[in-house]
């Protein structure tokens, strides 16, 4: 399963890229609002950090407006994917983008049928929002599982991206449900790295090493004095 970072924070993206675990980035207007500045400039910076897909979301409600925004984003970098919210106009825009060879990520997917329609319209990425479904007492992971099964049954090439991930368990569940991609806030990525026994083990190993080196008359760095 590919791992994307769900953020517009450049430093977070640089960190995940240095760890060697970053396959792409998703942004949205709310994430952009947290950092501010020029959305275009931020997108171009992100696209330089990762060669993977970088989602840039259109905000127009009408088809022509979506097309205008999306074409503009697509010119910013070769790895831009235009993010379009699920709607009747959104489907039409996705279909037109597909005809133009512009990749799209259909966002705000909350049902399997919405995902199926977005794939048929030509979206390359389909984004069900797992956490927001869980918030209203519906099992978000069911949509991920159903869509991956359907796409596999019918050889549909669109990728299922588990969005609105809130915790590390969601990541494991998304992978087990066959999600092709999960997009994570930096906090969840960091939570995945850590385990209390790992952190405790590192401290203990260091302590034991230092005691052994001191007992042997060497300095604690690991180098012979
Ligand atoms: C991803 O593409 C979405 O924009 C994002 O995962 C939404 O997450 P949220 O429900 O935590 O806002």
């Amino acid at each position: 399963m590919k791992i994307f970072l769900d953020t517009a924070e450049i430093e977070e993206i640089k960190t995940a890229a240095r760890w060697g675990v970053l396959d792409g980035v998703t942004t949205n207007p709310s994430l952009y609002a947290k950092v501010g500045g020029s959305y275009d400039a931020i997108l171009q910076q992100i696209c330089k950090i990762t060669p993977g897909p970088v989602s840039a979301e259109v905000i127009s409600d009408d088809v022509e407006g979506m097309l205008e925004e999306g074409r503009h984003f697509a010119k910013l970098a070769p790895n831009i994917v235009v993010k379009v919210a699920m709607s009747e106009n959104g489907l039409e825009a996705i279909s037109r983008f597909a005809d133009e060879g512009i990749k799209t990520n259909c966002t705000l997917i909350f049902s399997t049928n919405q995902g199926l329609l977005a794939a048929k319209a030509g979206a390359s990425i389909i984004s069900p929002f797992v956490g927001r479904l869980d918030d209203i007492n519906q099992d978000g992971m069911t949509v991920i599982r159903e869509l991956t099964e359907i796409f596999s049954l019918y050889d549909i090439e669109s990728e299922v991206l588990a969005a609105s991930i809130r915790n590390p368990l969601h990541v494991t569940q998304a992978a087990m449900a066959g999600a092709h991609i999960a997009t994570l806030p930096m906090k969840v990525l960091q939570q995945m790295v850590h385990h209390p026994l790992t952190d405790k083990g590192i401290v203990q190993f260091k302590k034991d090493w230092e005691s052994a080196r001191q007992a042997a008359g060497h300095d604690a760095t690991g180098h012979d004095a």
Side-chain angles (χ1 to χ4, degrees):
M1 183 176 73
K2 285 176 261 191
I3 290 184
F4 287 10
L5 215 53
D6 199 22
T7 186
E9 294 272 3
I10 298 297
E11 287 311 314
E12 292 182 350
I13 296 163
K14 283 184 178 169
T15 300
R18 283 199 303 271
W19 291 354
V21 299
L22 185 71
D23 296 308
V25 173
T26 49
T27 67
N28 67 31
S30 308
L31 294 170
Y32 161 60
K34 286 185 187 168
V35 296
S38 157
Y39 192 35
D40 285 3
I42 290 165
L43 290 169
Q44 282 173 318
Q45 265 183 287
I46 298 173
C47 288
K48 278 190 191 143
I49 300 167
T50 176
V54 174
S55 291
E57 187 158 340
V58 299
I59 52 153
S60 295
D61 298 322
D62 60 299
V63 177
E64 290 309 319
M66 290 178 191
L67 290 172
E68 193 180 323
E69 283 183 69
R71 286 174 189 140
H72 169 77
F73 289 146
K75 282 188 196 134
L76 294 176
N79 48 334
I80 286 282
V81 173
V82 177
K83 213 175 186 190
V84 181
M86 181 65 189
S87 69
E88 294 179 14
N89 284 344
L91 286 174
E92 186 173 333
I94 286 167
S95 172
R96 300 262 300 272
F97 281 131
D99 290 343
E100 294 178 21
I102 293 175
K103 290 192 171 169
T104 52
N105 170 355
C106 188
T107 191
L108 289 169
I109 295 289
F110 291 96
S111 77
T112 303
N113 281 342
Q114 286 181 320
L116 185 55
L117 286 176
K120 282 194 75 73
S124 47
I125 296 175
I126 313 295
S127 293
F129 277 37
V130 171
R132 293 193 196 185
L133 278 168
D134 287 2
D135 288 345
I136 58 162
N137 202 26
Q138 290 184 19
D139 181 19
M141 220 46 80
T142 300
V143 181
I144 302 290
R145 193 171 302 105
E146 289 180 351
L147 279 173
T148 56
E149 277 181 33
I150 291 167
F151 289 4
S152 160
L153 270 176
Y154 294 96
D155 289 328
I156 294 171
E157 285 180 9
S158 310
E159 293 185 293
V160 178
L161 180 153
S164 189
I165 292 281
R166 299 277 163 79
N167 55 58
L169 185 58
H170 272 159
V171 183
T172 309
Q173 289 171 333
M176 296 291 290
H180 304 96
I181 308 162
T183 191
L184 325 180
M186 188 62 182
K187 183 180 162 224
V188 175
L189 189 64
Q190 286 170 322
Q191 286 173 320
M192 287 171 68
V193 176
H194 293 280
H195 188 286
L197 293 179
T198 304
D199 297 346
K200 190 178 162 196
I202 289 171
V203 171
Q204 189 64 48
F205 280 152
K206 192 170 169 61
K207 207 171 137 210
D208 290 344
W209 172 267
E210 285 167 359
S211 307
R213 296 298 287 180
Q214 273 164 18
H218 297 298
D219 70 26
T221 62
H223 303 295
D224 289 341

